[in-house]
Amino acid sequence: MIAKTRTIGEALDITTELPTIRYVKPKRIYLGFTNQRFDKAEIYVKPGDSVKIGTILGKRYTNTLEQNIHSTVSGKVVGFAKKFSRTGKLVDAIEIENNFLDEREDSIKERSDEEIEKFTKDDFTRIVKENSVVGLGGSSFPTYVKFQTNKPIDYITINGIECEPSLTTDHRIMLEYPDLIMKGIKYCLQAFKAKKAYICIKKKYDDLYNVLSQTLKRFSDLPIEIKRLGNYYPQGWEVEMIKKALGIKIEHGKLPVDYGVVNFNVSTVVGIYRAIKFNTPVIERNFTVTGNGIKYPSNLRIRIGTSVQDLIEKCGGYTDDSDKILIMGGPMMGANLLKDDAMCTKSSTSLIVINKKDYKEEPCIHCASCVYSCPAGLQPVLIMNAYKTKDVDGLKKLRVNECVECGMCTYTCTSKIHLTDYMRKAKKMVK
């Protein structure tokens, strides 16, 4: 019997219904010195040092922010290596050999509900910061910064939209850990003294609505409502989601907190819960491997720092020896990997493996598809032309900095022009 070759669409959609497989015992992990948010680091360990889960290995920092680097396994530091990160860049990383004992630092211990009920917002901020909770939807933004706001917060939105094709990590989190999401929201409501929280999901997912609704019955004392929003991309864009869920329009240059709203991803809320309840850093996350270039598309529960090569092997390897396109993250906003010698970070949501197909870029035919599809109301082709002529003033007038890099202009371009890449380059030119 000859196996049917999966199309890209079939391969990307298949993981929604696949249960998560635990793969939390990698032989080695790799933790980057820096990431997309932090460009400097101090490393406290050296080869030969023994570590436990939760051991602070170093600190990432900028001029204004800082973040602890925690070990996600117990074992021994064997050295330092170069690995590709979720941004597609090659970075220095701490390499740790797993002893498979899962020994934990003494600081990781359960707190009583009575103790947590007495916490102030400063307590929540400190704990979230110490445990390096970040935006697990892909942003990697330090969560403690949101807790630091002094502005009154009326509403908390929980982003479960996961609007990019192929991403199913949050979908499985909501199906498999709905109680932890509710408990994490409870802590957020307490910290901000907010009036209400809204869990936002796509309207088409009846399974999510049913599971969350049933779970919410056990938390009927909490002011939480489920909002079923649009099925389109980019409904998961924070600005678009808040507009549809609350009727609040976030102007460019403003933040949700300026309107009394704070927003978290569903996986981030689970990370907040574990940090507050057990004083544990983010050591695991859900991760999807999919695409028509991988044998067994899968949802996996992995340790932060797991090698992408290990995950490819866990999923049966590549379908064949043909050239592959590797995308870390979603197909619209993810980063292209030059090699599979990469590591999974906290903000790594997925790996998409696609059989390579060459496309010829044609001249622009002025069809305006990119304009019609842009959620920010920009004119991508005019921005591209201004970039090519180094017209910085023109780029400013065209509001290039309002581009959210959603990828819609590239996706809809009938001439196969990589407009999103021009948007990124133009933003850097203006900056």
Side-chain angles (χ1 to χ4, degrees):
M1 181 177 179
I2 299 175
K4 179 180 179 292
T5 302
R6 297 190 309 272
T7 66
I8 294 176
E10 289 172 336
L12 295 182
D13 290 338
I14 196 173
T15 55
T16 302
E17 299 178 1
L18 293 178
T20 302
I21 301 169
R22 290 189 64 79
Y23 181 69
V24 294
K25 293 188 179 294
K27 294 180 180 178
R28 297 194 177 194
I29 62 162
Y30 303 87
L31 301 169
F33 289 14
T34 58
N35 59 26
Q36 68 268 38
R37 295 287 181 181
F38 297 88
D39 56 357
K40 303 180 184 68
E42 294 179 12
I43 304 303
Y44 306 150
V45 293
K46 62 184 184 301
D49 286 353
S50 295
V51 298
K52 298 179 180 180
I53 292 175
T55 299
I56 298 177
L57 309 173
K59 179 178 69 176
R60 303 184 185 105
Y61 63 94
T62 66
N63 293 334
T64 57
L65 303 173
E66 61 182 26
Q67 179 186 79
N68 289 329
I69 305 172
H70 297 93
S71 178
T72 60
V73 298
S74 61
K76 182 175 68 175
V77 177
V78 296
F80 306 104
K82 293 279 189 181
K83 288 283 180 179
F84 287 98
S85 72
R86 71 166 293 273
T87 62
K89 296 180 179 179
L90 197 63
V91 300
D92 292 309
I94 305 167
E95 183 176 355
I96 300 175
E97 186 178 72
N98 193 353
N99 62 13
F100 303 106
L101 299 177
D102 278 355
E103 301 165 299
R104 298 180 176 237
E105 289 288 349
D106 294 338
S107 59
I108 299 178
K109 55 186 178 182
E110 185 174 358
R111 294 186 174 97
S112 69
D113 292 340
E114 292 74 20
E115 180 184 1
I116 296 173
E117 286 172 0
K118 297 177 183 177
F119 281 173
T120 65
K121 188 154 76 70
D122 288 341
D123 293 323
F124 284 106
T125 303
R126 172 181 53 81
I127 295 168
V128 167
K129 181 179 180 180
E130 289 174 352
N131 286 287
S132 301
V133 182
V134 301
L136 297 178
S139 73
S140 197
F141 187 77
T143 303
Y144 79 87
V145 177
K146 293 186 178 182
F147 277 82
Q148 283 181 328
T149 182
N150 293 319
K151 297 181 178 180
I153 299 299
D154 296 316
Y155 304 110
I156 297 172
T157 53
I158 310 300
N159 193 338
I161 299 294
E162 198 170 37
C163 63
E164 280 203 64
S166 86
L167 301 191
T168 55
T169 56
D170 288 344
H171 194 105
R172 300 311 306 181
I173 280 280
M174 287 184 278
L175 288 180
E176 296 166 4
Y177 298 98
D179 55 327
L180 301 190
I181 292 172
M182 302 304 174
K183 292 175 182 178
I185 294 174
K186 178 181 179 179
Y187 294 156
C188 293
L189 287 166
Q190 177 184 339
F192 292 100
K193 298 180 179 178
K195 298 175 183 177
K196 196 167 185 177
Y198 296 91
I199 303 174
C200 301
I201 61 173
K202 281 185 177 178
K203 185 183 297 184
K204 67 179 180 180
Y205 290 128
D206 292 332
D207 56 346
L208 292 182
Y209 181 76
N210 294 336
V211 166
L212 293 172
S213 296
Q214 288 300 315
T215 304
L216 198 52
K217 291 179 180 179
R218 299 201 301 271
F219 297 86
S220 58
D221 58 319
L222 297 179
I224 301 174
E225 182 180 335
I226 302 168
K227 283 280 189 177
R228 304 182 78 171
L229 305 183
N231 296 321
Y232 59 87
Y233 177 82
Q235 176 66 91
W237 176 29
E238 179 181 73
V239 172
E240 183 72 7
M241 187 194 72
I242 291 173
K243 179 182 177 181
K244 294 297 184 182
L246 303 180
I248 297 173
K249 183 178 180 180
I250 310 295
E251 299 292 342
H252 179 69
K254 296 283 188 178
L255 297 172
V257 293
D258 297 324
Y259 299 81
V261 181
V262 67
N263 179 59
F264 299 107
N265 170 267
V266 287
S267 295
T268 305
V269 169
V270 174
I272 291 171
Y273 165 73
R274 289 181 167 137
I276 300 301
K277 184 63 177 176
F278 301 102
N279 203 44
T280 182
V282 179
I283 62 172
E284 297 180 5
R285 72 154 298 130
N286 278 29
F287 190 87
T288 299
V289 181
T290 189
N292 64 357
I294 197 78
K295 282 188 179 178
Y296 309 123
S298 305
N299 291 309
L300 304 166
R301 185 73 181 170
I302 65 170
R303 290 287 167 89
I304 305 302
T306 300
S307 166
V308 164
Q309 292 173 334
D310 288 349
L311 299 183
I312 291 172
E313 182 179 348
K314 179 69 176 176
C315 295
Y318 299 123
T319 52
D320 52 43
D321 294 331
S322 64
D323 291 339
K324 309 297 177 188
I325 295 174
L326 305 176
I327 304 171
M328 199 72 154
M332 304 298 286
M333 299 182 70
N336 185 52
L337 294 178
L338 298 178
K339 297 172 63 179
D340 59 15
D341 188 19
M343 58 186 171
C344 297
T345 65
K346 291 180 184 178
S347 56
S348 300
T349 57
S350 61
L351 175 74
I352 300 172
V353 183
I354 300 174
N355 293 322
K356 188 175 181 180
K357 184 177 180 180
D358 292 324
Y359 293 93
K360 182 181 179 182
E361 183 175 305
E362 303 285 350
C364 173
I365 61 173
H366 306 290
C367 67
S369 293
C370 58
V371 177
Y372 296 139
S373 64
C374 179
L378 305 181
Q379 301 182 69
V381 169
L382 294 184
I383 292 173
M384 175 185 71
N385 292 336
Y387 167 76
K388 287 181 176 180
T389 59
K390 295 182 172 56
D391 182 3
V392 176
D393 289 336
L395 290 172
K396 291 178 180 178
K397 291 178 181 178
L398 290 166
R399 305 172 12 244
V400 66
N401 283 332
E402 295 183 31
C403 172
V404 295
E405 300 178 25
C406 67
M408 281 299 294
C409 53
T410 297
Y411 181 77
T412 60
C413 180
T414 56
S415 296
K416 302 294 184 289
I417 301 172
H418 295 285
L419 290 165
T420 307
D421 191 43
Y422 283 111
M423 301 303 107
R424 295 190 182 105
K425 292 175 179 177
K427 287 168 72 174
K428 290 180 180 178
M429 179 180 287
V430 169
K431 185 177 180 180

